[in-house]
Amino acid sequence: MISKPIDKEFNVEISGERFSASFLNDLVDAHTRKIAPRYRKFQRLYEGKHKIQGRKKQDGNKPNNKLVNDFFGQTIDNTVGYFLGNPIILNYTEPKKEKAQVETDPNDVGVDLGEIEDTAVQDALDTLCIENDKDDLFIEWGKEAMIKGLSHLLVYQNEESKTKLMRLSPEDVILVYKNSSTKELEYAIRLYDIDTEDTDKTTHYAEVYSASKIELFKSTDTISTGQNRRDFAAYEFVEEKPHIYGRIPIITMYNNEEQMSDLEKIESLVNDYDKVLSDVSNEFEAFRNAYLMLKNMTTGKDGATKLKEEGIIEVMENGDVKFVTKQIQTEALENHLNRLEKSIYKFSQVPDLSDENFAGNLSGIAIRFKLFGLETKCIIKERKMEKAIRDLVRVLAVPLRVLTGHEVDVINLKVEFTRNVPNNLTEIVDTVTKLDGKVDKETLLSLLPFIDNPKEVLEKMEQEAQADRKANDPYSPNNVTADGSNLFPNLNAQNSSQEVVNGGLYRLCK
């Protein structure tokens, strides 16, 4: 049994029915001391708590400005807005079942119920997503993965037996793999703490999830001793209970294969930018408080105080008074800061939206070319998030089957991402118009940025078309008056007969 961390994951082969409490203590200790601090560091950077803020004052007489430039927050927020600003669409299409050919009675002009699409799974999935605020949950899930390199979702059943989703921070989750090569998950451990003020104690809990059950462990320490830390915890087994999902209900989304934060590549650049700008601010503050030089004269015992209060000094013969200032190389500093800023945007792959090159009515191709670096980065994120969403639906397959009676297969699931980018609507409409008749309507509608669910729009179009046909059908009950006369009296018998035949054939075909 391997009880030491390898890179960012643990590998273990455990025999027996119960998870080892001693092994759990080793895992929590290593995770708390070696892995979790990295996640907390990047969270602090995103929140604007930069390294410069810890700089101590070397000289009590000199200024010590600490200027924070929020490139970290801007990088994450712009990436999240571009990648996840528009809702992710989950479309589940039930495969059509093959049916035997049967002879149809010519007099039967009803609707063939076999042609109606089965949307039970899609409806249940939509309801579950609405109940769990899917759009907000997914955007926070993706944002945390960008900040820390990965993030987790927990699927559970609440007291009312409703399926709920909850985001778990990587500081509170330990993943235990069978081995490093296949990354096959054996256990997922959720950590959480509960403080009890009346007893002055903190209780540490650990839930060990496997494919079939949850094992609960806990450890208690005293707050007043200052030892309320997980790496000091000694967990003991409490209970175990089964779960319904048939797989581990903790889903992990990775920012990339290396589990790197989007902030790692620009951390040193932003730290240097903060330092240089803070030093420049210190220089300007010192320049304002320049030294006063007296030549061939002195101020006397109380002269300096009097000079500060009155601002007047008497100059003797051959004497002189002037300020001694330091020459600041503003041009060199400006060039250095410009180079740093350019490198930050370059390596973060997030464009500077304040750049004048973004001004004007750019074409769609021009906009996408300027966003090419960001798009390249988001393609990787899209692949990782789509994989995580499919894993999520695999877990949700059990409650969905209970609700609908249908087996859920992720092969039938389509995950659609739409970039949140300014569009030249005229160009898009022109493209859709040219493709009409060459591409199916659902695909054409998906090209329009203001349509989130093309399938829903097609259903509404079909309903409107049916309403129009009924309104224009002279033999519809809605178009016959109370006395039995038709609202279309000008139709001759021949046309009326033909309409009856055509109408009947139409309804038969439907």
Side-chain angles (χ1 to χ4, degrees):
M1 179 174 64
I2 302 174
S3 61
K4 294 184 178 180
I6 300 178
D7 297 327
K8 297 181 179 66
E9 75 272 357
F10 300 93
N11 302 265
V12 61
E13 294 180 2
I14 298 179
S15 58
E17 296 182 355
R18 181 170 296 172
F19 197 87
S20 168
S22 62
F23 183 63
L24 174 62
N25 292 329
D26 291 341
L27 290 176
V28 175
D29 177 72
H31 178 80
T32 304
R33 290 187 296 107
K34 298 179 180 180
I35 300 177
R38 173 178 174 271
Y39 302 137
R40 288 193 288 268
K41 181 188 78 168
F42 288 118
Q43 182 64 36
R44 289 195 300 269
L45 293 179
Y46 172 73
E47 293 173 354
K49 301 172 183 177
H50 293 198
K51 181 180 179 180
I52 189 67
Q53 292 179 309
R55 185 170 71 172
K56 297 182 179 179
K57 199 170 186 178
Q58 301 296 330
D59 189 340
N61 297 322
K62 293 183 178 179
N64 183 29
N65 295 310
K66 305 172 185 179
L67 304 185
V68 171
N69 300 272
D70 193 26
F71 287 107
F72 296 129
Q74 184 185 44
T75 297
I76 297 298
D77 291 343
N78 285 349
T79 305
V80 170
Y82 176 76
F83 177 46
L84 299 173
N86 290 325
I88 299 174
I89 306 301
L90 306 182
N91 280 326
Y92 188 90
T93 304
E94 193 76 31
K96 293 183 179 180
K97 298 179 180 180
E98 295 184 1
K99 58 181 181 178
Q101 296 290 335
V102 295
E103 296 183 0
T104 305
D105 188 346
N107 296 323
D108 183 7
V109 294
V111 177
D112 185 356
L113 297 178
E115 295 296 328
I116 298 178
E117 185 178 356
D118 189 347
T119 61
V121 174
Q122 179 68 58
D123 294 341
L125 182 60
D126 290 342
T127 301
L128 192 149
C129 289
I130 293 173
E131 291 177 346
N132 287 277
D133 299 316
K134 183 234 351 168
D135 294 337
D136 179 70
L137 183 69
F138 279 8
I139 203 169
E140 292 298 326
W141 191 24
K143 184 177 76 173
E144 185 172 53
M146 295 178 200
I147 296 173
K148 302 175 183 178
L150 72 164
S151 185
H152 312 274
L153 280 185
L154 169 66
V155 182
Y156 67 99
Q157 303 296 123
N158 68 2
E159 295 81 0
E160 300 175 354
S161 298
K162 289 188 175 182
T163 304
K164 306 298 290 185
L165 307 179
M166 179 173 65
R167 181 172 56 86
L168 302 178
S169 296
E171 300 98 299
D172 302 327
V173 176
I174 303 174
L175 301 178
V176 183
Y177 298 99
K178 289 184 178 179
N179 57 71
S180 295
S181 57
T182 62
K183 289 293 182 77
E184 186 177 353
L185 194 62
E186 181 76 7
Y187 297 97
I189 304 171
R190 177 201 174 197
L191 307 174
Y192 61 96
D193 305 326
I194 297 179
D195 294 333
T196 308
E197 295 181 359
D198 55 348
T199 59
D200 197 32
K201 290 184 180 295
T202 296
T203 303
H204 306 285
Y205 291 92
E207 293 177 342
V208 180
Y209 289 83
S210 65
S212 60
K213 64 183 179 180
I214 308 170
E215 298 176 71
L216 179 65
F217 296 79
K218 76 173 183 178
S219 173
T220 304
D221 57 36
T222 304
I223 299 176
S224 59
T225 62
Q227 301 300 314
N228 56 333
R229 293 165 49 187
R230 289 174 181 169
D231 51 337
F232 282 89
Y235 288 93
E236 297 179 351
F237 176 79
V238 177
E239 64 176 355
E240 72 174 48
K241 53 185 178 181
H243 63 73
I244 65 172
Y245 303 106
R247 61 178 65 238
I248 296 176
I250 292 181
I251 299 91
T252 302
M253 181 174 68
Y254 296 96
N255 191 38
N256 45 57
E257 191 66 23
E258 297 74 24
Q259 302 179 31
M260 289 180 61
S261 165
D262 281 4
L263 308 181
E264 288 193 55
K265 293 184 179 180
I266 61 173
E267 182 181 1
S268 60
L269 294 171
V270 176
N271 288 339
D272 190 39
Y273 195 98
D274 289 343
K275 180 177 179 297
V276 171
L277 201 58
S278 298
D279 290 342
V280 171
S281 179
N282 290 340
E283 291 290 349
F284 277 108
E285 186 173 339
F287 176 80
R288 184 188 64 185
N289 299 325
Y291 292 103
L292 182 66
M293 184 189 73
L294 305 178
K295 182 180 181 182
N296 294 331
M297 59 183 298
T298 60
T299 59
K301 185 177 180 179
D302 300 325
T305 303
K306 185 177 180 180
L307 176 61
K308 290 181 179 180
E309 293 176 352
E310 300 179 358
I312 301 174
I313 187 172
E314 298 179 2
V315 181
M316 308 300 291
E317 185 178 358
N318 297 327
D320 191 15
V321 178
K322 65 179 180 180
F323 283 102
V324 179
T325 61
K326 181 180 180 180
Q327 297 295 326
I328 300 177
Q329 299 295 328
T330 55
E331 185 177 353
L333 287 171
E334 190 71 22
N335 290 336
H336 183 57
L337 290 173
N338 287 338
R339 281 195 297 269
L340 283 175
E341 186 173 347
K342 185 176 180 180
S343 297
I344 290 170
Y345 283 116
K346 176 181 178 181
F347 294 116
S348 68
Q349 295 180 290
V350 175
D352 182 6
L353 299 179
S354 63
D355 190 342
E356 60 182 9
N357 291 327
F358 275 94
N361 185 21
L362 299 177
S363 66
I365 295 178
I367 293 175
R368 295 186 182 280
F369 181 78
K370 293 181 182 298
L371 296 173
F372 181 74
L374 180 58
E375 177 63 27
T376 302
K377 181 170 69 171
C378 287
I379 287 175
I380 299 175
K381 300 181 188 301
E382 181 178 319
R383 299 293 182 270
K384 297 298 181 183
M385 192 165 192
E386 181 175 354
K387 179 179 181 297
I389 291 174
R390 291 185 180 277
D391 289 339
L392 173 61
V393 174
R394 289 187 179 97
V395 175
L396 296 176
V398 174
L400 288 175
R401 183 174 68 241
V402 172
L403 291 172
T404 64
H406 291 62
E407 292 293 336
V408 178
D409 192 341
V410 294
I411 294 178
N412 305 321
L413 178 70
K414 183 179 181 181
V415 184
E416 299 179 5
F417 295 83
T418 305
R419 300 292 188 264
N420 184 22
V421 60
N423 292 293
N424 190 322
L425 194 57
T426 303
E427 288 185 357
I428 296 175
V429 172
D430 182 61
T431 302
V432 170
T433 303
K434 291 179 180 179
L435 291 175
D436 188 21
K438 301 178 181 178
V439 180
D440 63 280
K441 294 188 180 298
E442 183 175 348
T443 302
L444 290 178
L445 289 173
S446 67
L447 297 176
L448 298 175
F450 50 84
I451 293 180
D452 294 330
N453 193 334
K455 186 178 297 185
E456 182 180 352
V457 174
L458 285 174
E459 291 176 358
K460 290 181 179 179
M461 292 173 62
E462 178 61 24
Q463 291 173 3
E464 291 180 358
Q466 290 180 2
D468 290 341
R469 284 195 292 268
K470 289 182 180 179
N472 296 324
D473 184 359
Y475 301 99
S476 172
N478 296 329
N479 295 327
V480 178
T481 61
D483 59 357
S485 61
N486 198 288
L487 294 178
F488 298 87
N490 295 328
L491 291 176
N492 56 39
Q494 181 178 358
N495 291 338
S496 300
S497 175
Q498 187 63 37
E499 286 290 333
V500 171
V501 175
N502 292 341
L505 289 175
Y506 173 79
R507 286 187 289 272
L508 179 61
C509 293
K510 290 294 289 182

